Amino acid sequence: MNWIKPDWPLPAHIHAAVTLRSGGVSVGAFSTLNPATHVNDYSDHVNRNREIIKEMLQLPSEPVWLQQVHGVRVIKADTVNGLECADASYTDQPGVVCAILTADCLPVLFCGDGGRVVAAAHAGWRGLQAGILSETFKQMNCQSVLAWLGPAIGPRHFEVGEAVYNAFVDDSAVYKTAFQAISSGKWLADIYQLARIQLNHLGVKQIYGGGLCTVTDAARFYSYRRDGAVTGRMASLIWSSKS
């Protein structure tokens, strides 16, 4: 199977998936199921890969793709016209597919109020530090929320410098638990733990996933850091069935 079904207790009418790097038509560094248009892959390959994803997941509509910029803008997916610059989307409408693209950054899927609202967020360290998860949570406007942490760079491979460490720890000392010092001015960062800290602060207690490392599993995942910046992307998607 060329996609992962997230393991979390979703209502029956909510569906989620993460595509793998297999099953598509792209070649070389982008082989094979790359759905990203911004990585210099051939456009006809990307378009065909998007068709393959839509077919294999039986999506009710074309995913709402975003131009991701490591920011905090969150859009309502069912109001989008064209390619919007944002790092998260949400919807309360059935048949609308929220989607984000990642290759080491953390994809976070949300399901709120028993499936009344769903959302997808692109959470690299910059987005996490800036508040993309809290902004997504705010825009969803739900009383209860489940979150699932998708494939991302694992805590043994995400080496960061003093600027990243200080960006979080200056906000709150609680973030120190997500960093392991390895040398002077160098740390290993646990992006999953950073996200869990923020989600817990928001009152999200049902948090799932967070155990899939993009760097170590080259057969299934693209990795920006492992592959030297030239690589494809996985798509993380969530949607509600049409009535």
Side-chain angles (χ1 to χ4, degrees):
M1 191 162 66
N2 299 314
W3 57 284
I4 292 171
K5 181 179 180 180
D7 185 12
W8 56 328
L10 289 178
H13 68 291
I14 303 299
H15 311 277
V18 179
T19 63
L20 302 179
R21 66 177 303 168
S22 55
V25 299
S26 291
V27 297
F30 308 110
S31 66
T32 59
L33 191 61
N34 168 51
T37 60
H38 67 288
V39 297
N40 294 321
D41 193 0
Y42 292 113
S43 59
D44 55 341
H45 289 173
V46 173
N47 290 334
R48 177 55 187 147
N49 287 337
R50 289 185 172 189
E51 292 174 2
I52 290 170
I53 290 170
K54 187 175 179 180
E55 292 164 4
M56 77 178 185
L57 297 179
Q58 299 182 334
L59 298 179
S61 62
E62 182 69 19
V64 178
W65 305 105
L66 306 175
Q67 182 179 341
Q68 300 166 188
V69 294
H70 299 279
V72 295
R73 184 170 183 237
V74 182
I75 61 169
K76 195 168 190 291
D78 48 280
T79 66
V80 169
N81 290 309
L83 184 64
E84 290 277 358
C85 183
D87 283 273
S89 67
Y90 73 99
T91 185
D92 56 4
Q93 298 299 309
V96 177
V97 183
C98 295
I100 56 164
L101 298 168
T102 61
D104 285 342
C105 289
L106 176 65
V108 183
L109 302 179
F110 296 89
C111 177
D113 289 351
R116 180 181 65 83
V117 181
V118 296
H122 164 239
W125 77 260
R126 291 179 181 85
L128 281 172
Q129 197 276 330
I132 186 61
L133 297 187
S134 61
E135 188 61 26
T136 305
F137 181 83
K138 175 184 175 183
Q139 294 297 327
M140 290 177 69
N141 192 28
C142 292
Q143 297 299 311
S144 62
V145 172
L146 285 71
W148 184 78
L149 311 181
I153 187 170
R156 295 184 179 181
H157 299 276
F158 191 19
E159 182 178 318
V160 300
E162 194 168 7
V164 176
Y165 176 81
N166 289 339
F168 284 95
V169 175
D170 286 351
D171 283 344
S172 174
V174 71
Y175 288 118
K176 289 183 178 181
T177 63
F179 293 91
Q180 177 186 344
I182 54 174
S183 65
S184 178
K186 296 291 184 181
W187 286 264
L188 290 176
D190 187 340
I191 201 168
Y192 309 119
Q193 178 66 1
L194 291 171
R196 289 188 187 100
I197 289 170
Q198 294 187 354
L199 291 168
N200 283 327
H201 180 73
L202 294 168
V204 179
K205 303 302 182 185
Q206 291 182 274
I207 305 169
Y208 303 88
L212 297 172
C213 177
T214 50
V215 175
T216 56
D217 194 343
R220 294 200 298 170
F221 302 126
Y222 298 108
S223 170
Y224 184 91
R225 184 165 293 205
R226 181 195 65 227
D227 298 335
V230 180
T231 192
R233 300 292 187 271
M234 288 82 67
S236 296
L237 313 101
I238 189 165
W239 68 98
S240 171
S241 298
K242 289 184 176 180
S243 56

